[in-house]
């Protein structure tokens, strides 16, 4: 049932704000991503979703407004090859430099694997196949906004200082998986030792120190900022809003496809981008309340 959720259904985590060291302290980032230099940032109080926006939540938005995502308007979106759930005739091609991504007719938020899949089967998974524009439309309906990149990293760190991941420096402390990423040989064999081949339901892994879930892996999350690799060199200390121009919009957190051999971006400082009209089966978003935290 989608009637049980609406604009006020967000599970907010109130954060008092404060100062933190933003960026890659380990020198592990891709040079083109601009994760350095590490620099002090201060953010004011805010409240942020504990989880990514789910299919159930996005379904309520669509039901209330009749909104059509850009993937629905274009008629296609990108599906990872092992997650295809559609007739072969719906595969219109593969990406030149990343052939594991298939351009699938009929793939969209409501049909994440293609025509033979449906969001109601994964209602509590993060919504995917949403563009930056789609995320903004949801925010407008819900009375919310996308987090700035600085807010996102502050929240994702969970109060830890200078750590590699949202839980510490070890990827699998005591042998346990703390996030939904790729295990095996990318892109052909995923052993799914963490329990998931594709997206996982929200709250599948332990939260960070602030109570946020899946700030590493599962799905990329759109942020408000334009992406400019050199921005950290001169970004303001107080509540940075990102550059005024860029080649795309910032995405944070990594996804179920990240692997150290291919995309080591589940680190908490990692960043990448995509054009704001783009959508894929591994990108979603979480939101921030318009009113600041009461803390």
């Amino acid at each position: 049932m989608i009637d049980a959720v609406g604009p006020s259904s967000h599970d907010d985590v109130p954060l008092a704000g404060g100062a933190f060291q933003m960026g890659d302290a380990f020198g592990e980032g891709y040079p083109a991503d601009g994760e350095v230099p590490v620099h002090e940032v201060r953010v004011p109080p805010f409240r942020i979703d504990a989880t990514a926006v789910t299919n159930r939540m996005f379904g309520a938005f669509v039901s209330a407004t009749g909104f059509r995502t850009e993937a629905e308007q274009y008629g296609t979106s990108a599906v990872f090859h092992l997650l295809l759930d559609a007739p072969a005739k719906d595969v219109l091609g593969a990406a030149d430099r990343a052939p594991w991504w298939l351009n699938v007719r009929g793939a969209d938020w409501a049909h994440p694997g293609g025509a033979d899949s449906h969001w109601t089967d994964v209602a509590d998974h993060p919504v995917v196949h949403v563009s930056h524009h789609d995320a903004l439309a949801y925010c407008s309906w819900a009375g919310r906004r996308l987090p700035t990149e600085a807010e996102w990293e502050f929240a994702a760190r969970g109060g830890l200082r200078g750590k590699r991941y949202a839980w510490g420096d070890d990827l699998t402390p005591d042998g346990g998986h703390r996030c939904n990423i790729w295990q095996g040989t990318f892109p052909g064999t995923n052993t799914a030792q963490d329990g998931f081949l594709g997206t996982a339901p929200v709250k599948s892994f332990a939260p960070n120190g602030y109570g946020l879930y899946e700030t590493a892996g599962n799905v990329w999350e759109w942020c408000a900022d334009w992406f400019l690799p050199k921005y950290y060199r001169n970004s303001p200390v107080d509540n940075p809003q990102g550059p005024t121009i860029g080649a795309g919009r910032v995405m944070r957190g990594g996804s179920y496809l990240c692997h150290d051999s291919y995309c080591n971006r589940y680190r908490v400082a990692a960043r990448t981008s995509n054009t704001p009209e783009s959508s894929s089966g591994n990108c979603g978003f979480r939101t921030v309340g318009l009113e600041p935290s009461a803390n």
Side-chain angles (χ1 to χ4, degrees):
M1 297 292 292
I2 62 176
D3 294 336
V5 297
S8 62
S9 65
H10 288 255
D11 180 12
D12 273 335
V13 174
L15 299 179
F20 75 107
Q21 296 295 303
M22 186 172 183
D24 171 27
F26 296 89
E28 297 171 333
Y30 299 97
D33 289 351
E35 295 180 26
V36 292
V38 175
H39 55 291
E40 181 169 299
V41 168
R42 292 190 292 266
V43 295
F46 64 104
R47 50 189 177 89
I48 187 169
D49 283 327
T51 73
V53 171
T54 65
N55 282 312
R56 189 185 308 276
M57 296 165 71
F58 200 81
F61 160 57
V62 171
S63 179
T65 65
F67 181 80
R68 295 183 71 237
T69 61
E70 291 195 288
E72 290 171 287
Q73 295 175 51
Y74 296 145
T76 69
S77 192
V79 176
F80 183 67
H81 72 113
L82 295 182
L83 300 176
L84 178 68
D85 193 3
K89 64 181 176 61
D90 286 349
V91 178
L92 305 181
D96 290 339
R97 298 183 181 180
W100 47 87
W101 280 115
L102 305 178
N103 184 27
V104 178
R105 179 172 47 225
D108 54 46
W109 81 271
H111 307 91
D116 293 336
S117 61
H118 199 267
W119 74 265
T120 52
D121 294 327
V122 284
D124 294 322
H125 290 229
V127 66
V128 292
H129 297 293
V130 286
S131 69
H132 195 268
H133 297 145
D134 299 333
L136 291 178
Y138 175 92
C139 287
S140 179
W141 170 75
R144 301 178 69 82
R145 61 178 175 83
L146 293 177
T148 66
E149 185 176 18
E151 288 174 331
W152 191 98
E153 186 169 325
F154 176 86
R157 288 188 176 277
L160 297 181
R161 182 179 177 89
K163 296 298 184 180
R164 179 178 285 113
Y165 306 114
W167 52 88
D169 288 335
D170 184 1
L171 179 61
T172 54
D174 299 321
H177 291 281
R178 303 296 294 271
C179 63
N180 176 19
I181 57 175
W182 188 277
Q183 293 91 45
T185 305
F186 187 87
T189 303
N190 187 346
T191 62
Q193 292 175 352
D194 59 19
F196 304 98
L197 174 61
T199 58
V202 298
K203 298 187 178 181
S204 289
F205 296 86
N208 71 5
Y210 286 156
L212 275 68
Y213 294 84
E214 288 90 43
T215 58
N218 215 21
V219 296
W220 284 103
E221 298 180 9
W222 289 113
C223 291
D225 306 32
W226 286 105
F227 179 79
L228 194 66
K230 64 182 181 182
Y231 181 65
Y232 283 8
R233 300 177 197 172
N234 298 294
S235 62
V237 172
D238 289 312
N239 197 23
Q241 301 295 300
T244 57
I245 58 170
R249 295 287 186 174
V250 170
M251 302 191 306
R252 282 304 206 109
S255 82
Y256 58 85
L257 297 180
C258 282
H259 185 265
D260 61 7
S261 70
Y262 160 66
C263 179
N264 180 20
R265 293 189 177 96
Y266 39 87
R267 297 167 295 102
V268 74
R271 57 201 303 255
T272 192
S273 69
N274 208 342
T275 56
E277 74 280 1
S278 295
S279 65
S280 66
N282 69 335
C283 186
F285 65 104
R286 76 179 72 209
T287 69
V288 167
L290 295 182
E291 297 298 325
S293 163
N295 284 8

